Amino acid sequence: MAASIKHQLFFPHPPRAVWEYLTNAELMELWLMKNNFQPIVGHDFQFRINPVPSLDFDGIVYCKVLEIVPFKKLSYSWKLGPGDGTLNIDSVVRWELHPKDNGTELVLDHGDFVVMENIGIFNSMNEGWRKNMHKIADRLNAPDHATTKA
C-alpha cells in the first residue's frame, strides 16, 4: 500500500526555534512522547507511551535517525507492533523546514510504509500528527516561551 500521512503548518518563528522541538528530547516529550532521541545519524531510539491493546500496539515506537540537515531536514524510521517481535507498522517520518514569510513552514511526510498491517493505527497516527504539530505551535506561541533567534 502506497499510503502517506502529510501535514504542513506555518510557524511565525525562525527555523531554529521549530527545529529545537524536533530534535531536543525534552521538548519532544512535551508534544509527542517520552523518548531517548539524539540528533545523530544512525542513533537508535524509542518513543514510549501507554500501550493501546485495541490497536495491537505495545506502546513502544522503535526508531533510527536516518538523515539530519540542521534547521532544514530530519528523518527517522518508525516501527511498532504488539510487542511479540512482529511489526504492524514499518515506515519513515520526514520533517522539512522551509523559511517563509518571516517564519517557518514545517512539512511532515510519514510514508514509505514497508509494513502497514493495522489501518486503525494509521488513522490514529494521521490525526495524532496533526494535533501534535499544533502542540508545537501552542508551545512556541506561549507568552513565556523564549523564542530562539535565527
Side-chain angles (χ1 to χ4, degrees):
M1 176 181 251
S4 186
I5 296 169
K6 294 184 180 186
H7 295 290
Q8 67 182 49
L9 188 63
F10 177 78
F11 296 83
H13 304 278
R16 184 177 298 269
V18 178
W19 181 257
E20 285 296 310
Y21 277 87
L22 300 178
T23 60
N24 177 307
E26 291 177 8
L27 294 177
M28 291 168 79
E29 184 176 339
L30 297 175
W31 65 271
L32 190 53
M33 291 179 255
K34 290 182 181 181
N35 66 87
N36 61 334
F37 178 85
Q38 291 181 26
I40 301 167
V41 172
H43 175 67
D44 290 310
F45 67 100
Q46 297 176 354
F47 287 109
R48 291 182 171 263
I49 196 165
N50 292 331
V52 186
S54 64
L55 293 177
D56 239 359
F57 174 45
D58 69 353
I60 304 171
V61 182
Y62 299 90
C63 304
K64 180 179 220 162
V65 179
L66 303 174
E67 180 183 22
I68 294 178
V69 179
F71 317 116
K72 294 181 182 182
K73 280 186 185 180
L74 170 67
S75 69
Y76 42 85
S77 61
W78 180 277
K79 302 176 183 189
L80 55 93
D84 62 2
T86 63
L87 297 175
N88 52 30
I89 298 289
D90 183 350
S91 56
V92 175
V93 173
R94 287 182 189 82
W95 296 100
E96 289 188 9
L97 294 83
H98 304 283
K100 182 178 180 183
D101 301 328
N102 295 319
T104 304
E105 182 178 72
L106 179 62
V107 179
L108 165 74
D109 182 353
H110 185 169
D112 292 350
F113 286 88
V114 176
V115 176
M116 186 171 58
E117 298 293 328
N118 188 324
I119 195 68
I121 290 177
F122 179 86
N123 292 336
S124 180
M125 288 187 310
N126 187 24
E127 181 62 17
W129 281 124
R130 186 187 66 73
K131 286 180 180 177
N132 289 333
M133 288 174 74
H134 284 279
K135 285 181 186 177
I136 296 171
D138 291 345
R139 294 201 167 272
L140 279 169
N141 293 327
D144 62 343
H145 178 78
T147 302
T148 307
K149 302 296 180 202

